Amino acid sequence: MATFAMQALGCEVTAINTVQFSNHTAYKQVKGRKTPAEEVTELYEGLKQSHLDDFDVMLSGYCPSAAVVQEVGKIARESRFKATTKPGSFFWVLDPVMGDNGKIYVNEDVVPAYKALLKDADLILPNQFEAELLSEVKITDYASLATAIETLHRKYRVPHVLITSVTLPPTTTSTPQNQSRASSPFVNSANALQSGKLSIVGSTATSDLKPRLFRLTVPALPVFFSGTGDMFAALMVARLRESCQAADLLTTNHWQSPDDVEATELPLAKAAEKVLASMHAVLVKTMNARSEELKRLDDEAKHELNVGIGEEAGQDKSLQRHLRLTKAAEVRVVRNWRDLVEPQDLNDFRAQVVAVDQ
Amino acid sequence: MATFAMQALGCEVTAINTVQFSNHTAYKQVKGRKTPAEEVTELYEGLKQSHLDDFDVMLSGYCPSAAVVQEVGKIARESRFKATTKPGSFFWVLDPVMGDNGKIYVNEDVVPAYKALLKDADLILPNQFEAELLSEVKITDYASLATAIETLHRKYRVPHVLITSVTLPPTTTSTPQNQSRASSPFVNSANALQSGKLSIVGSTATSDLKPRLFRLTVPALPVFFSGTGDMFAALMVARLRESCQAADLLTTNHWQSPDDVEATELPLAKAAEKVLASMHAVLVKTMNARSEELKRLDDEAKHELNVGIGEEAGQDKSLQRHLRLTKAAEVRVVRNWRDLVEPQDLNDFRAQVVAVDQ
């Protein structure tokens, strides 16, 4: 997913696979192998000896162990060190994959391993739960979310933060900056949170490490898709570099916007708008295809009921149904690459100011 | 290379990596790991248990051992067996990677392993040397090339054969079918063979296993590119399916054209035309980029000579030069995916009849 999404947007990708699995884990059964930390190191050594380690951007995602997290961190630090004399020539997008919805699905020692690396990252992409793990701030409303982001800026010196899968109820602390914005999409979105919307909340720190908070809201589709985290991260890599290039920031440290740039005008916000528009288009198409498969499944079940077969194997049937629906929900990214390259309906995905009274 | 090329043309790809290397072997130094045969099997078992093994087409390329070749063969045979009641619903493109220019670069036991699998393949893509190994016919002219292809059709029952990297001198046995074609591109190409042209010679067997020979000729670029075999194979997968679909052959056994279809009108020939046009466009752009790097290298060397540095480390310098030029020759396929999707100048790559007096 990540490799293709970056390639579709023109990036030449050097991929180090941290697993080779037969399928993603939402199938609930998987075969294959996790890459040991030593092999990650060996592959990087191989790249170095042939001078193939001159990355502009590094994206790191799921790591199967704390040891792999540490090896990935070494690659990032070494790349950062080589870039010392050329500000902005290396940029690390760190997706600290640890869990979601209050549940960790990696070893506990992965959490401190990521914390130790945060100071070397340029952009981190935790979901709401991962942001809590990293910042040690419980996120219950927009005020605590802002505190979490400020902690990541100040304590860990992470210049860019994007928190995905934010599902907070609208609160009084989340209000438009002034009343003239009362009829803006921001208010609509705040209300819409109650009715199945997902938000992404981001910030690029100012020079004195203050957050500049923005939010983007998308309809929450009623289907679980696997790989959307990797898709988001990969598209952000390409789009952020593009928007930072447009803002002439690629030769500045951490591609950090001047202090007078407002939250919703940040390249980080502009990039996220395009990414969400692309993703929404692809995911809606995937959902529609899955709905057709669901209808076929239901028709088949009705038919079997009518002719009186298949009643005995209830558990197997439920597994078969799960497998077919999971397959039908495979994100249709390859056949819809045009949606990646040229996102439509950008106006539906504009960044909005998040004003928090702290 | 293969995965991206297929994805660019809209194929959803399930990839089983038979190696995870830091780089391709033309760098002359590489780190990483070959996938053991048991892991290939395990990944396939994983796909099967979740019903993710419903491939329309399988492409197999480099296998690091005879054991892996055999495992790949098992996957193909099992897929073929499942397709028994649905003719044309599974198609295996076998690229029997063994060596080139008279030199084997796999273990000797890989050769008989491939021979044992040929009867299950729909299309094979050997280069001239590999075609000799498989057919046991020494290819010295177009007559012996035709004999090799006929052997592959008759003895091994391979319906489609495409032999790549054919570098035969023009001979009297290779003449246009009739004099009215004397001024056609065919004659030009035959003459041009003397001046650095490469040919692809292919055939789809008739129902009585006679070859229908065609040839496509492209200018031989004076640079070694790594991955072009995989690129050719991957693009052929997508383009052959497309041209066979246009000819309404996808529900026939082996997508085999009726006997009245002439060699140059075969879907195999039509597909190869598009593939060569795409590849030539991408490779010319790659070559031009490499030429610029070569000029930079030479300028640097001249400068160093002038200021009198770097004379001591001759061997290291030659390695560094090799590494930089190899990197500069990395096929620029991602940034030029439009050339894959919409090949231009198709008229420069038309298939021509090969008439052999046997």
Side-chain angles (χ1 to χ4, degrees), chain A residues 4 6-18 20-23 27 29-33 35 39 42-47 49-54 319-320 323-324 327 330-335 337-338 341-342, chain B residues 4 6-18 20-23 27 29-33 35 39 42-47 49-54 319-320 323-324 327 330-335 337-338 341-342:
Chain A
F4 178 76
M6 286 187 279
Q7 288 174 328
L9 296 186
C11 307
E12 300 279 357
V13 178
T14 296
I16 295 185
N17 297 318
T18 52
Q20 178 157 229
F21 280 174
S22 57
N23 48 267
Y27 285 91
Q29 51 187 18
V30 63
K31 289 182 189 276
R33 175 177 184 267
T35 308
E39 283 181 25
E42 196 197 347
L43 288 170
Y44 178 58
E45 294 297 326
L47 291 168
Q49 74 175 353
S50 295
H51 310 308
L52 298 168
D53 59 332
D54 55 340
L319 172 63
Q320 298 310 322
L323 295 176
R324 269 179 69 176
K327 187 180 179 192
E330 289 280 3
V331 180
R332 303 191 145 215
V333 63
V334 168
R335 69 193 81 187
W337 58 264
R338 278 175 208 275
V341 177
E342 286 164 12
Chain B
F4 177 75
M6 285 187 280
Q7 288 173 328
L9 295 186
C11 306
E12 300 279 356
V13 178
T14 297
I16 296 184
N17 297 318
T18 52
Q20 177 157 230
F21 281 174
S22 56
N23 48 268
Y27 285 91
Q29 51 187 18
V30 63
K31 288 182 189 277
R33 175 176 183 268
T35 308
E39 283 181 26
E42 195 196 348
L43 289 170
Y44 179 58
E45 293 297 328
L47 291 168
Q49 76 175 352
S50 294
H51 311 307
L52 298 168
D53 58 332
D54 55 339
L319 172 64
Q320 298 309 323
L323 295 176
R324 270 180 68 176
K327 187 180 179 192
E330 289 281 3
V331 180
R332 301 190 146 216
V333 64
V334 168
R335 71 194 79 187
W337 58 263
R338 277 175 209 276
V341 177
E342 286 164 12

Side-chain angles (χ1 to χ4, degrees), chain B residues 18-327:
Chain B
T18 52
V19 299
Q20 177 157 230
F21 281 174
S22 56
N23 48 268
H24 62 69
T25 53
Y27 285 91
K28 295 183 188 162
Q29 51 187 18
V30 63
K31 288 182 189 277
R33 175 176 183 268
K34 297 174 176 181
T35 308
E38 312 83 66
E39 283 181 26
V40 173
T41 310
E42 195 196 348
L43 289 170
Y44 179 58
E45 293 297 328
L47 291 168
K48 272 202 292 189
Q49 76 175 352
S50 294
H51 311 307
L52 298 168
D53 58 332
D54 55 339
F55 314 122
D56 298 316
V57 180
M58 177 168 117
L59 168 62
S60 65
Y62 173 72
C63 294
S65 67
V68 170
V69 172
Q70 281 153 7
E71 285 307 321
V72 167
K74 277 186 202 163
I75 298 174
R77 272 199 299 276
E78 219 173 298
S79 301
R80 168 86 61 220
F81 178 74
K82 281 183 297 188
T84 309
T85 58
K86 288 184 184 171
S89 66
F90 175 75
F91 192 98
W92 181 19
V93 177
L94 167 59
D95 186 2
V97 181
M98 295 185 287
D100 53 27
N101 297 316
K103 209 177 142 196
I104 297 189
Y105 46 62
V106 291
N107 271 334
E108 297 277 342
D109 60 353
V110 167
V111 182
Y114 273 124
K115 277 190 185 174
L117 295 182
L118 287 181
K119 66 180 187 312
D120 294 301
D122 295 289
L123 164 62
I124 61 171
L125 304 169
N127 59 33
Q128 186 175 323
F129 173 61
E130 290 158 347
E132 289 181 338
L133 289 174
L134 295 175
S135 67
E136 294 172 36
V137 174
K138 177 84 190 149
I139 298 172
T140 54
D141 52 22
Y142 274 88
S144 49
L145 181 60
T147 306
I149 289 178
E150 188 155 7
T151 303
L152 293 166
H153 283 331
R154 287 195 185 277
K155 184 170 168 195
Y156 293 102
R157 293 290 194 269
V158 183
H160 307 273
V161 176
L162 262 184
I163 303 187
T164 59
S165 308
V166 172
T167 52
L168 291 175
T171 67
T172 52
T173 60
S174 162
T175 53
Q177 254 180 331
N178 58 57
Q179 285 306 316
S180 74
R181 293 179 62 90
S183 65
S184 77
F186 173 74
V187 173
N188 293 336
S189 314
N191 294 337
L193 275 174
Q194 290 167 313
S195 53
K197 299 263 177 178
L198 269 184
S199 292
I200 307 267
V201 178
S203 165
T204 296
T206 59
S207 56
D208 56 352
L209 304 179
K210 280 201 193 114
R212 280 176 277 193
L213 292 172
F214 62 86
R215 181 176 69 180
L216 295 96
T217 303
V218 291
L221 302 176
V223 176
F224 174 77
F225 302 107
S226 192
T228 50
D230 287 335
M231 186 179 182
F232 180 76
L235 295 175
M236 277 305 298
V237 163
R239 292 299 184 191
L240 181 60
R241 193 163 199 278
E242 179 187 80
S243 59
C244 286
Q245 184 160 40
D248 204 17
L249 290 169
L250 292 189
T251 54
T252 62
N253 267 321
H254 312 295
W255 305 351
Q256 215 161 341
S257 300
D259 288 350
D260 60 356
V261 177
E262 281 182 35
T264 55
E265 294 304 314
L266 290 167
L268 188 67
K270 294 287 153 203
E273 288 173 355
K274 285 191 177 174
V275 169
L276 291 186
S278 287
M279 286 186 66
H280 189 68
V282 172
L283 294 179
V284 165
K285 287 172 187 172
T286 304
M287 185 180 67
N288 292 342
R290 181 186 170 279
S291 298
E292 285 167 30
E293 176 75 352
L294 184 60
K295 190 174 174 311
R296 272 191 297 275
L297 265 171
D298 288 344
D299 288 348
E300 284 172 31
K302 213 179 289 172
H303 173 73
E304 286 179 9
L305 202 66
N306 285 342
V307 299
I309 56 166
E311 278 164 37
E312 67 291 345
Q315 204 188 344
D316 181 63
K317 205 166 209 171
S318 138
L319 172 64
Q320 298 309 323
R321 184 181 168 88
H322 169 71
L323 295 176
R324 270 180 68 176
L325 285 179
T326 305
K327 187 180 179 192

